[in-house]
Amino acid sequence: AYHLSPRMHEYCVALVSSLAPRLNVRLSGVDLSDTLHANKLAVCLGDGSRYDKHYDNMGDGDLRKLTALLYLQRSWTDANGGCFRMYTRGEGLEPDGDGELPHVDLPPLGGRLLVFWADEMVHAVNPSQASGGEDEHRWALTVWFQATDPQGISFDAEMEQRHFADAGTSGLGVSG
């Protein structure tokens, strides 16, 4: 649907074609495609809209390796919610009193760029509210850089068990 938003499409293509080769040089063992990518503009309209805990890479042939997420909203307050919840890694980390594993909540500030491994970072988006209308919507442009080889995609059975065993679902089965 290039004709609907040509500038966004051109931005994503330019980003991937120029950044992927630079990342390949700087990051050992990573081979990102400079031609293949996926992108999404997500708008959380409020009323508690959220994304449950997941990985961005769903497995089963999915080549998304690196997620770059740019927040585009003009303003944000604590009342708007919608924080990005990044679950921390590490041995021996126990759930808190609410059963929640250790995490960090990052406010979706306009202009903030988050970059993380799509196949390794378990994350969620907390419920968002937008009682003030469109200016309070949570806008996020996500670009996924793809690996050139399926062998470059990670799977951590221990993390999968730790985060998704009680839910009876797999974090690889939910798209972000």
Side-chain angles (χ1 to χ4, degrees), residues 14-55:
L15 176 71
V16 171
S17 63
S18 64
L19 194 53
R22 288 176 174 86
L23 291 170
N24 289 338
V25 168
R26 297 211 179 236
L27 301 173
S28 140
V30 174
D31 192 13
L32 301 172
S33 172
D34 61 356
T35 57
L36 298 176
H37 76 281
N39 62 68
K40 170 175 74 172
L41 177 61
V43 182
C44 290
L45 304 178
D47 298 324
S49 57
R50 58 186 266 165
Y51 286 97
D52 291 333
K53 181 169 40 171
H54 64 281
Y55 293 103

mmCIF file of all heavy atoms in Angstrom, residues 14-55:
data_model
loop_
_atom_site.group_PDB
_atom_site.id
_atom_site.type_symbol
_atom_site.label_atom_id
_atom_site.label_comp_id
_atom_site.label_asym_id
_atom_site.label_seq_id
_atom_site.Cartn_x
_atom_site.Cartn_y
_atom_site.Cartn_z
ATOM 1 N N ALA A 14 14.902 3.021 3.419
ATOM 2 C CA ALA A 14 16.191 3.691 3.591
ATOM 3 C C ALA A 14 16.864 3.267 4.893
ATOM 4 O O ALA A 14 18.080 3.044 4.929
ATOM 5 C CB ALA A 14 15.998 5.210 3.570
ATOM 6 N N LEU A 15 16.081 3.136 5.950
ATOM 7 C CA LEU A 15 16.623 2.717 7.231
ATOM 8 C C LEU A 15 17.265 1.336 7.133
ATOM 9 O O LEU A 15 18.416 1.138 7.524
ATOM 10 C CB LEU A 15 15.512 2.701 8.286
ATOM 11 C CG LEU A 15 15.904 2.192 9.672
ATOM 12 C CD1 LEU A 15 16.808 3.193 10.367
ATOM 13 C CD2 LEU A 15 14.652 1.943 10.498
ATOM 14 N N VAL A 16 16.546 0.380 6.585
ATOM 15 C CA VAL A 16 17.051 -0.989 6.502
ATOM 16 C C VAL A 16 18.245 -1.089 5.558
ATOM 17 O O VAL A 16 19.262 -1.702 5.889
ATOM 18 C CB VAL A 16 15.924 -1.957 6.070
ATOM 19 C CG1 VAL A 16 16.474 -3.332 5.762
ATOM 20 C CG2 VAL A 16 14.869 -2.042 7.168
ATOM 21 N N SER A 17 18.152 -0.462 4.402
ATOM 22 C CA SER A 17 19.240 -0.594 3.423
ATOM 23 C C SER A 17 20.521 0.092 3.884
ATOM 24 O O SER A 17 21.618 -0.329 3.528
ATOM 25 C CB SER A 17 18.808 -0.078 2.048
ATOM 26 O OG SER A 17 18.507 1.296 2.104
ATOM 27 N N SER A 18 20.415 1.141 4.692
ATOM 28 C CA SER A 18 21.629 1.820 5.144
ATOM 29 C C SER A 18 22.137 1.314 6.490
ATOM 30 O O SER A 18 23.345 1.258 6.724
ATOM 31 C CB SER A 18 21.405 3.334 5.208
ATOM 32 O OG SER A 18 20.427 3.649 6.166
ATOM 33 N N LEU A 19 21.242 0.924 7.377
ATOM 34 C CA LEU A 19 21.654 0.534 8.719
ATOM 35 C C LEU A 19 22.079 -0.930 8.829
ATOM 36 O O LEU A 19 23.026 -1.245 9.552
ATOM 37 C CB LEU A 19 20.532 0.829 9.715
ATOM 38 C CG LEU A 19 20.879 0.790 11.185
ATOM 39 C CD1 LEU A 19 22.072 1.679 11.510
ATOM 40 C CD2 LEU A 19 19.674 1.218 12.022
ATOM 41 N N ALA A 20 21.417 -1.829 8.121
ATOM 42 C CA ALA A 20 21.739 -3.261 8.229
ATOM 43 C C ALA A 20 23.209 -3.564 7.924
ATOM 44 O O ALA A 20 23.860 -4.263 8.716
ATOM 45 C CB ALA A 20 20.814 -4.086 7.338
ATOM 46 N N PRO A 21 23.801 -3.042 6.847
ATOM 47 C CA PRO A 21 25.217 -3.331 6.601
ATOM 48 C C PRO A 21 26.130 -2.804 7.713
ATOM 49 O O PRO A 21 27.118 -3.464 8.071
ATOM 50 C CB PRO A 21 25.514 -2.615 5.279
ATOM 51 C CG PRO A 21 24.197 -2.466 4.614
ATOM 52 C CD PRO A 21 23.208 -2.291 5.731
ATOM 53 N N ARG A 22 25.802 -1.664 8.269
ATOM 54 C CA ARG A 22 26.609 -1.108 9.366
ATOM 55 C C ARG A 22 26.512 -1.977 10.625
ATOM 56 O O ARG A 22 27.501 -2.203 11.317
ATOM 57 C CB ARG A 22 26.176 0.311 9.668
ATOM 58 C CG ARG A 22 26.584 1.304 8.588
ATOM 59 C CD ARG A 22 26.039 2.694 8.896
ATOM 60 N NE ARG A 22 26.520 3.686 7.971
ATOM 61 C CZ ARG A 22 25.957 3.956 6.799
ATOM 62 N NH1 ARG A 22 24.895 3.286 6.415
ATOM 63 N NH2 ARG A 22 26.460 4.883 6.007
ATOM 64 N N LEU A 23 25.317 -2.461 10.908
ATOM 65 C CA LEU A 23 25.141 -3.339 12.062
ATOM 66 C C LEU A 23 25.876 -4.662 11.865
ATOM 67 O O LEU A 23 26.456 -5.201 12.807
ATOM 68 C CB LEU A 23 23.653 -3.585 12.320
ATOM 69 C CG LEU A 23 22.866 -2.378 12.821
ATOM 70 C CD1 LEU A 23 21.372 -2.680 12.811
ATOM 71 C CD2 LEU A 23 23.321 -1.955 14.202
ATOM 72 N N ASN A 24 25.853 -5.174 10.653
ATOM 73 C CA ASN A 24 26.545 -6.437 10.369
ATOM 74 C C ASN A 24 28.039 -6.323 10.643
ATOM 75 O O ASN A 24 28.666 -7.272 11.107
ATOM 76 C CB ASN A 24 26.305 -6.875 8.926
ATOM 77 C CG ASN A 24 24.883 -7.348 8.703
ATOM 78 O OD1 ASN A 24 24.188 -7.742 9.640
ATOM 79 N ND2 ASN A 24 24.435 -7.299 7.465
ATOM 80 N N VAL A 25 28.611 -5.159 10.361
ATOM 81 C CA VAL A 25 30.040 -4.942 10.605
ATOM 82 C C VAL A 25 30.316 -4.840 12.109
ATOM 83 O O VAL A 25 31.300 -5.371 12.606
ATOM 84 C CB VAL A 25 30.525 -3.663 9.881
ATOM 85 C CG1 VAL A 25 31.912 -3.255 10.333
ATOM 86 C CG2 VAL A 25 30.480 -3.865 8.372
ATOM 87 N N ARG A 26 29.437 -4.170 12.834
ATOM 88 C CA ARG A 26 29.676 -3.902 14.256
ATOM 89 C C ARG A 26 29.271 -5.027 15.205
ATOM 90 O O ARG A 26 29.802 -5.123 16.294
ATOM 91 C CB ARG A 26 28.953 -2.632 14.667
ATOM 92 C CG ARG A 26 29.475 -1.431 13.920
ATOM 93 C CD ARG A 26 29.349 -0.235 14.785
ATOM 94 N NE ARG A 26 29.878 0.912 14.084
ATOM 95 C CZ ARG A 26 30.826 1.662 14.566
ATOM 96 N NH1 ARG A 26 31.360 1.389 15.723
ATOM 97 N NH2 ARG A 26 31.253 2.704 13.900
ATOM 98 N N LEU A 27 28.302 -5.827 14.796
ATOM 99 C CA LEU A 27 27.787 -6.871 15.685
ATOM 100 C C LEU A 27 28.268 -8.238 15.206
ATOM 101 O O LEU A 27 27.856 -8.718 14.165
ATOM 102 C CB LEU A 27 26.255 -6.839 15.719
ATOM 103 C CG LEU A 27 25.633 -5.531 16.182
ATOM 104 C CD1 LEU A 27 24.121 -5.577 16.012
ATOM 105 C CD2 LEU A 27 25.997 -5.236 17.623
ATOM 106 N N SER A 28 29.093 -8.859 15.984
ATOM 107 C CA SER A 28 29.657 -10.149 15.621
ATOM 108 C C SER A 28 28.568 -11.224 15.570
ATOM 109 O O SER A 28 27.706 -11.299 16.436
ATOM 110 C CB SER A 28 30.748 -10.480 16.640
ATOM 111 O OG SER A 28 30.761 -11.787 17.005
ATOM 112 N N GLY A 29 28.617 -12.039 14.528
ATOM 113 C CA GLY A 29 27.700 -13.156 14.392
ATOM 114 C C GLY A 29 26.315 -12.802 13.888
ATOM 115 O O GLY A 29 25.427 -13.648 13.865
ATOM 116 N N VAL A 30 26.095 -11.557 13.505
ATOM 117 C CA VAL A 30 24.789 -11.133 13.012
ATOM 118 C C VAL A 30 24.886 -10.873 11.510
ATOM 119 O O VAL A 30 25.839 -10.250 11.051
ATOM 120 C CB VAL A 30 24.320 -9.848 13.732
ATOM 121 C CG1 VAL A 30 23.040 -9.315 13.129
ATOM 122 C CG2 VAL A 30 24.139 -10.111 15.214
ATOM 123 N N ASP A 31 23.916 -11.372 10.770
ATOM 124 C CA ASP A 31 23.860 -11.102 9.331
ATOM 125 C C ASP A 31 22.436 -10.684 8.986
ATOM 126 O O ASP A 31 21.570 -11.521 8.737
ATOM 127 C CB ASP A 31 24.291 -12.331 8.529
ATOM 128 C CG ASP A 31 24.521 -12.005 7.063
ATOM 129 O OD1 ASP A 31 24.593 -10.806 6.717
ATOM 130 O OD2 ASP A 31 24.613 -12.952 6.261
ATOM 131 N N LEU A 32 22.194 -9.366 9.017
ATOM 132 C CA LEU A 32 20.884 -8.807 8.730
ATOM 133 C C LEU A 32 20.760 -8.488 7.248
ATOM 134 O O LEU A 32 21.701 -7.988 6.634
ATOM 135 C CB LEU A 32 20.666 -7.534 9.549
ATOM 136 C CG LEU A 32 20.759 -7.685 11.063
ATOM 137 C CD1 LEU A 32 20.717 -6.318 11.738
ATOM 138 C CD2 LEU A 32 19.657 -8.584 11.582
ATOM 139 N N SER A 33 19.599 -8.729 6.702
ATOM 140 C CA SER A 33 19.335 -8.424 5.295
ATOM 141 C C SER A 33 19.237 -6.913 5.107
ATOM 142 O O SER A 33 18.636 -6.215 5.923
ATOM 143 C CB SER A 33 18.024 -9.078 4.857
ATOM 144 O OG SER A 33 17.669 -8.643 3.561
ATOM 145 N N ASP A 34 19.796 -6.429 4.007
ATOM 146 C CA ASP A 34 19.658 -5.003 3.706
ATOM 147 C C ASP A 34 18.526 -4.751 2.711
ATOM 148 O O ASP A 34 18.333 -3.630 2.257
ATOM 149 C CB ASP A 34 20.975 -4.409 3.206
ATOM 150 C CG ASP A 34 21.467 -5.043 1.925
ATOM 151 O OD1 ASP A 34 20.836 -6.003 1.438
ATOM 152 O OD2 ASP A 34 22.492 -4.576 1.415
ATOM 153 N N THR A 35 17.764 -5.801 2.393
ATOM 154 C CA THR A 35 16.645 -5.637 1.471
ATOM 155 C C THR A 35 15.312 -6.108 2.048
ATOM 156 O O THR A 35 14.271 -5.586 1.686
ATOM 157 C CB THR A 35 16.890 -6.397 0.152
ATOM 158 O OG1 THR A 35 17.122 -7.775 0.447
ATOM 159 C CG2 THR A 35 18.070 -5.816 -0.608
ATOM 160 N N LEU A 36 15.331 -7.092 2.941
ATOM 161 C CA LEU A 36 14.090 -7.619 3.505
ATOM 162 C C LEU A 36 13.837 -7.035 4.883
ATOM 163 O O LEU A 36 14.736 -6.977 5.707
ATOM 164 C CB LEU A 36 14.160 -9.145 3.612
ATOM 165 C CG LEU A 36 14.322 -9.911 2.313
ATOM 166 C CD1 LEU A 36 14.477 -11.397 2.601
ATOM 167 C CD2 LEU A 36 13.145 -9.649 1.389
ATOM 168 N N HIS A 37 12.622 -6.606 5.113
ATOM 169 C CA HIS A 37 12.226 -6.120 6.429
ATOM 170 C C HIS A 37 10.707 -6.174 6.524
ATOM 171 O O HIS A 37 10.019 -6.418 5.539
ATOM 172 C CB HIS A 37 12.729 -4.694 6.668
ATOM 173 C CG HIS A 37 11.952 -3.654 5.946
ATOM 174 N ND1 HIS A 37 12.120 -3.385 4.607
ATOM 175 C CD2 HIS A 37 10.968 -2.824 6.366
ATOM 176 C CE1 HIS A 37 11.298 -2.426 4.239
ATOM 177 N NE2 HIS A 37 10.588 -2.066 5.284
ATOM 178 N N ALA A 38 10.212 -5.959 7.716
ATOM 179 C CA ALA A 38 8.777 -5.822 7.939
ATOM 180 C C ALA A 38 8.598 -4.578 8.798
ATOM 181 O O ALA A 38 9.509 -4.183 9.520
ATOM 182 C CB ALA A 38 8.225 -7.053 8.656
ATOM 183 N N ASN A 39 7.430 -3.955 8.700
ATOM 184 C CA ASN A 39 7.179 -2.790 9.535
ATOM 185 C C ASN A 39 5.705 -2.699 9.878
ATOM 186 O O ASN A 39 4.866 -3.322 9.228
ATOM 187 C CB ASN A 39 7.693 -1.508 8.887
ATOM 188 C CG ASN A 39 7.005 -1.200 7.579
ATOM 189 O OD1 ASN A 39 5.826 -0.891 7.571
ATOM 190 N ND2 ASN A 39 7.728 -1.290 6.476
ATOM 191 N N LYS A 40 5.430 -1.923 10.923
ATOM 192 C CA LYS A 40 4.056 -1.749 11.371
ATOM 193 C C LYS A 40 3.957 -0.402 12.077
ATOM 194 O O LYS A 40 4.831 -0.037 12.855
ATOM 195 C CB LYS A 40 3.686 -2.876 12.332
ATOM 196 C CG LYS A 40 2.364 -2.671 13.059
ATOM 197 C CD LYS A 40 1.974 -3.858 13.911
ATOM 198 C CE LYS A 40 2.806 -3.955 15.147
ATOM 199 N NZ LYS A 40 2.324 -4.983 16.083
ATOM 200 N N LEU A 41 2.890 0.308 11.817
ATOM 201 C CA LEU A 41 2.559 1.500 12.590
ATOM 202 C C LEU A 41 1.404 1.104 13.501
ATOM 203 O O LEU A 41 0.305 0.817 13.029
ATOM 204 C CB LEU A 41 2.157 2.669 11.691
ATOM 205 C CG LEU A 41 1.729 3.942 12.422
ATOM 206 C CD1 LEU A 41 2.866 4.484 13.288
ATOM 207 C CD2 LEU A 41 1.260 4.998 11.433
ATOM 208 N N ALA A 42 1.678 1.032 14.807
ATOM 209 C CA ALA A 42 0.654 0.638 15.775
ATOM 210 C C ALA A 42 0.154 1.873 16.502
ATOM 211 O O ALA A 42 0.946 2.692 16.964
ATOM 212 C CB ALA A 42 1.234 -0.354 16.776
ATOM 213 N N VAL A 43 -1.152 1.993 16.594
ATOM 214 C CA VAL A 43 -1.765 3.100 17.312
ATOM 215 C C VAL A 43 -2.677 2.508 18.382
ATOM 216 O O VAL A 43 -3.664 1.847 18.059
ATOM 217 C CB VAL A 43 -2.583 4.014 16.366
ATOM 218 C CG1 VAL A 43 -3.169 5.185 17.140
ATOM 219 C CG2 VAL A 43 -1.740 4.484 15.198
ATOM 220 N N CYS A 44 -2.305 2.706 19.642
ATOM 221 C CA CYS A 44 -3.155 2.269 20.752
ATOM 222 C C CYS A 44 -4.103 3.412 21.066
ATOM 223 O O CYS A 44 -3.666 4.512 21.398
ATOM 224 C CB CYS A 44 -2.312 1.906 21.968
ATOM 225 S SG CYS A 44 -1.346 0.398 21.742
ATOM 226 N N LEU A 45 -5.389 3.162 20.931
ATOM 227 C CA LEU A 45 -6.397 4.203 21.060
ATOM 228 C C LEU A 45 -6.861 4.441 22.489
ATOM 229 O O LEU A 45 -7.704 5.294 22.737
ATOM 230 C CB LEU A 45 -7.605 3.840 20.192
ATOM 231 C CG LEU A 45 -7.301 3.599 18.716
ATOM 232 C CD1 LEU A 45 -8.564 3.200 17.980
ATOM 233 C CD2 LEU A 45 -6.648 4.810 18.085
ATOM 234 N N GLY A 46 -6.319 3.701 23.426
ATOM 235 C CA GLY A 46 -6.733 3.861 24.814
ATOM 236 C C GLY A 46 -7.702 2.759 25.200
ATOM 237 O O GLY A 46 -7.682 1.672 24.631
ATOM 238 N N ASP A 47 -8.542 3.040 26.180
ATOM 239 C CA ASP A 47 -9.507 2.063 26.680
ATOM 240 C C ASP A 47 -8.844 0.760 27.098
ATOM 241 O O ASP A 47 -9.407 -0.315 26.929
ATOM 242 C CB ASP A 47 -10.610 1.789 25.648
ATOM 243 C CG ASP A 47 -11.432 3.031 25.329
ATOM 244 O OD1 ASP A 47 -11.658 3.828 26.265
ATOM 245 O OD2 ASP A 47 -11.817 3.205 24.166
ATOM 246 N N GLY A 48 -7.598 0.861 27.584
ATOM 247 C CA GLY A 48 -6.897 -0.323 28.066
ATOM 248 C C GLY A 48 -6.222 -1.150 26.984
ATOM 249 O O GLY A 48 -5.769 -2.266 27.251
ATOM 250 N N SER A 49 -6.116 -0.624 25.757
ATOM 251 C CA SER A 49 -5.461 -1.397 24.693
ATOM 252 C C SER A 49 -4.027 -1.707 25.105
ATOM 253 O O SER A 49 -3.357 -0.895 25.750
ATOM 254 C CB SER A 49 -5.512 -0.652 23.358
ATOM 255 O OG SER A 49 -4.919 0.619 23.457
ATOM 256 N N ARG A 50 -3.562 -2.917 24.754
ATOM 257 C CA ARG A 50 -2.276 -3.411 25.229
ATOM 258 C C ARG A 50 -1.792 -4.556 24.357
ATOM 259 O O ARG A 50 -2.533 -5.053 23.512
ATOM 260 C CB ARG A 50 -2.429 -3.909 26.657
ATOM 261 C CG ARG A 50 -3.492 -5.004 26.713
ATOM 262 C CD ARG A 50 -3.829 -5.478 28.080
ATOM 263 N NE ARG A 50 -3.027 -6.652 28.385
ATOM 264 C CZ ARG A 50 -2.868 -7.133 29.583
ATOM 265 N NH1 ARG A 50 -3.446 -6.550 30.605
ATOM 266 N NH2 ARG A 50 -2.143 -8.188 29.789
ATOM 267 N N TYR A 51 -0.556 -4.969 24.587
ATOM 268 C CA TYR A 51 -0.016 -6.185 23.976
ATOM 269 C C TYR A 51 0.448 -7.070 25.129
ATOM 270 O O TYR A 51 1.230 -6.632 25.981
ATOM 271 C CB TYR A 51 1.178 -5.878 23.071
ATOM 272 C CG TYR A 51 0.811 -5.224 21.763
ATOM 273 C CD1 TYR A 51 0.885 -3.844 21.617
ATOM 274 C CD2 TYR A 51 0.407 -5.980 20.672
ATOM 275 C CE1 TYR A 51 0.556 -3.221 20.417
ATOM 276 C CE2 TYR A 51 0.076 -5.366 19.467
ATOM 277 C CZ TYR A 51 0.150 -3.999 19.356
ATOM 278 O OH TYR A 51 -0.179 -3.393 18.175
ATOM 279 N N ASP A 52 -0.020 -8.296 25.166
ATOM 280 C CA ASP A 52 0.410 -9.231 26.201
ATOM 281 C C ASP A 52 1.874 -9.600 26.003
ATOM 282 O O ASP A 52 2.453 -9.377 24.930
ATOM 283 C CB ASP A 52 -0.448 -10.500 26.158
ATOM 284 C CG ASP A 52 -1.883 -10.240 26.609
ATOM 285 O OD1 ASP A 52 -2.105 -9.296 27.395
ATOM 286 O OD2 ASP A 52 -2.782 -10.990 26.170
ATOM 287 N N LYS A 53 2.445 -10.233 27.006
ATOM 288 C CA LYS A 53 3.846 -10.657 26.991
ATOM 289 C C LYS A 53 4.099 -11.569 25.780
ATOM 290 O O LYS A 53 3.330 -12.487 25.518
ATOM 291 C CB LYS A 53 4.140 -11.390 28.297
ATOM 292 C CG LYS A 53 5.543 -11.846 28.424
ATOM 293 C CD LYS A 53 5.947 -12.332 29.799
ATOM 294 C CE LYS A 53 4.992 -13.144 30.575
ATOM 295 N NZ LYS A 53 5.596 -13.720 31.792
ATOM 296 N N HIS A 54 5.209 -11.285 25.059
ATOM 297 C CA HIS A 54 5.521 -12.050 23.848
ATOM 298 C C HIS A 54 6.961 -11.785 23.399
ATOM 299 O O HIS A 54 7.639 -10.907 23.917
ATOM 300 C CB HIS A 54 4.558 -11.667 22.720
ATOM 301 C CG HIS A 54 4.695 -10.233 22.280
ATOM 302 N ND1 HIS A 54 4.148 -9.184 22.984
ATOM 303 C CD2 HIS A 54 5.341 -9.678 21.223
ATOM 304 C CE1 HIS A 54 4.446 -8.052 22.375
ATOM 305 N NE2 HIS A 54 5.174 -8.310 21.302
ATOM 306 N N TYR A 55 7.397 -12.560 22.427
ATOM 307 C CA TYR A 55 8.584 -12.263 21.618
ATOM 308 C C TYR A 55 8.050 -11.676 20.313
ATOM 309 O O TYR A 55 6.951 -12.014 19.885
ATOM 310 C CB TYR A 55 9.346 -13.535 21.222
ATOM 311 C CG TYR A 55 10.011 -14.311 22.316
ATOM 312 C CD1 TYR A 55 9.442 -15.483 22.795
ATOM 313 C CD2 TYR A 55 11.234 -13.918 22.839
ATOM 314 C CE1 TYR A 55 10.073 -16.232 23.768
ATOM 315 C CE2 TYR A 55 11.866 -14.658 23.814
ATOM 316 C CZ TYR A 55 11.280 -15.821 24.282
ATOM 317 O OH TYR A 55 11.904 -16.561 25.238
#
